[in-house]
Amino acid sequence: MKWLFLFIMSSMLGLGCANCQKIQQQFDTCQTTLTDQDFIIKKQESTLRQNDQKIAELKETIATMESDIAELNRKLKISSSEKGRYDDRLKSITFSVRKFIKKQIQDNRTFLTDIAMDDFIGNELIKREHSGESGIFIVDVSHPVPGSGQINGIGGYFSGSADMIVKLLRPVGKNYVVTYEKKLAVKTDRTGKHYIDFDNPLIVEKNDVIAYYFPKTVNVPYDSGIGTTAYSKMKSDKFKQGGPVEADDIWHKGETLRKYSLSYYGIFNTKPKAMHLNLNKIENLGKWDTMAK
């Protein structure tokens, strides 16, 4: 019995020592793991501190850049303000100069006409019997361009404001081609002669024809029974720049003759007719003079 008891006790002690070793091994493993985790945490904390330092440096850089941007915006605002004042001043001077020159041209128009610097071609700008229609296309075939040169503007006797489109028709055989068109607006509350200068001269060739389209109220008077039949009612503009205009679209048989108070003016290369002397007559005069002696 005694030996049996000692055997059991020895066995239990042996098992206890084995469990202690196993527990010690697990403890050592946990201790190593904790040490490694402490190292990783410290490393991550170091990385976080470095990142915090970089963030602080970036914030400082951003603050400096914001200060620089604010200063640049301040200088840019000053420069823009100065440039705006300069542009306004330049525009004001340019507008005043153009207005002065235009007024001088208008004030001296009669003088220019008298010395033949501008040729005025078309009908007389006078008050006539009829007016008030709308949507009229008028082709001034009675007054073709007399020679190559430039048209500087158009004139008319207007009874009120009017919108119009001036067209240049170039002959191609019996028909025409629209080589140019320009929209004009006459703003006036005064009845009488009005001249509208083109922004840029219109370069023309001999025998070109000027046409006028009034999409709304014409406000230019005409006389009936005199002039030509080269006009037609046209609700919308169907003769665009670059397009053809056939002779049948201009001339209308059976229409009543009309003459509108419209004209154009410019400078044209027209040579005066030279005086040709007949040499035979000169020789004959010489013979008669000799016989008389």
Side-chain angles (χ1 to χ4, degrees):
M1 250 345 249
K2 183 179 180 180
W3 289 105
L4 180 60
F5 176 77
L6 290 173
F7 176 76
I8 292 171
M9 292 296 295
S10 299
S11 298
M12 291 178 67
L13 290 173
L15 289 172
C17 290
N19 288 333
C20 289
Q21 290 179 355
K22 188 175 181 180
I23 291 171
Q24 184 64 39
Q25 289 176 353
Q26 290 178 350
F27 177 77
D28 293 339
T29 301
C30 290
Q31 188 69 30
T32 302
T33 302
L34 289 173
T35 302
D36 293 340
Q37 288 180 350
D38 288 340
F39 175 77
I40 294 172
I41 290 171
K42 290 180 180 179
K43 187 175 181 181
Q44 289 178 345
E45 288 177 346
S46 176
T47 302
L48 288 174
R49 284 194 298 272
Q50 292 177 358
N51 289 338
D52 289 340
Q53 184 177 358
K54 289 181 179 179
I55 290 171
E57 292 175 354
L58 289 173
K59 286 182 177 180
E60 184 178 355
T61 302
I62 290 171
T64 304
M65 291 177 67
E66 287 177 347
S67 176
D68 292 341
I69 290 171
E71 179 64 17
L72 289 173
N73 285 332
R74 186 184 69 84
K75 293 179 179 179
L76 181 61
K77 186 176 181 180
I78 295 172
S79 299
S80 299
S81 178
E82 291 176 348
K83 184 178 182 299
R85 292 194 187 96
Y86 175 77
D87 290 344
D88 292 341
R89 182 170 175 270
L90 183 61
K91 288 178 181 178
S92 178
I93 293 173
T94 303
F95 176 77
S96 298
V97 171
R98 288 179 178 174
K99 185 177 180 181
F100 174 78
I101 293 174
K102 188 171 183 178
K103 188 176 185 304
Q104 292 298 312
I105 292 173
Q106 291 173 346
D107 290 343
N108 295 310
R109 191 182 301 280
T110 302
F111 170 75
L112 295 175
T113 305
D114 290 340
I115 63 174
M117 289 189 68
D118 269 0
D119 293 324
F120 283 69
I121 300 173
N123 299 322
E124 291 292 331
L125 307 184
I126 59 175
K127 183 178 180 180
R128 299 181 187 272
E129 185 178 0
H130 305 284
S131 65
E133 290 185 317
S134 61
I136 298 294
F137 181 61
I138 305 165
V139 185
D140 194 1
V141 291
S142 299
H143 302 95
V145 174
S148 61
Q150 64 183 47
I151 295 177
N152 295 326
I154 64 102
Y157 187 96
F158 291 89
S159 59
S161 300
D163 294 327
M164 60 190 304
I165 303 175
V166 177
K167 296 177 181 289
L168 181 69
L169 308 184
R170 183 151 296 166
V172 180
K174 295 182 178 180
N175 301 320
Y176 294 85
V177 173
V178 181
T179 59
Y180 173 87
E181 65 179 19
K182 182 175 182 61
K183 293 182 179 180
L184 298 175
V186 180
K187 303 296 183 182
T188 181
D189 54 0
R190 176 180 60 85
T191 299
K193 294 181 183 180
H194 294 276
Y195 298 95
I196 303 96
D197 297 321
F198 292 159
D199 295 334
N200 297 302
L202 172 58
I203 305 303
V204 294
E205 296 180 3
K206 185 177 181 179
N207 294 325
D208 285 348
V209 172
I210 293 292
Y212 310 87
Y213 175 57
F214 294 84
K216 299 178 182 179
T217 303
V218 180
N219 279 341
V220 173
Y222 67 90
D223 284 328
S224 181
I226 186 173
T228 69
T229 60
Y231 65 92
S232 58
K233 293 185 177 181
M234 194 164 67
K235 293 182 179 180
S236 60
D237 187 6
K238 63 179 181 179
F239 301 120
K240 299 295 185 179
Q241 184 170 336
V245 181
E246 297 183 2
D248 292 339
D249 294 323
I250 297 176
W251 302 99
H252 303 283
K253 294 181 179 180
E255 288 280 2
T256 305
L257 299 176
R258 287 186 181 183
K259 179 179 283 189
Y260 285 87
S261 291
L262 290 167
S263 66
Y264 61 93
Y265 53 89
I267 301 173
F268 311 101
N269 297 321
T270 55
K271 296 180 179 179
K273 294 182 179 179
M275 296 179 64
H276 299 286
L277 297 178
N278 192 318
L279 295 178
N280 292 329
K281 289 184 178 181
I282 294 176
E283 290 177 358
N284 291 333
L285 287 173
K287 291 179 180 177
W288 282 106
D289 186 55
T290 303
M291 290 176 65
K293 291 180 179 178

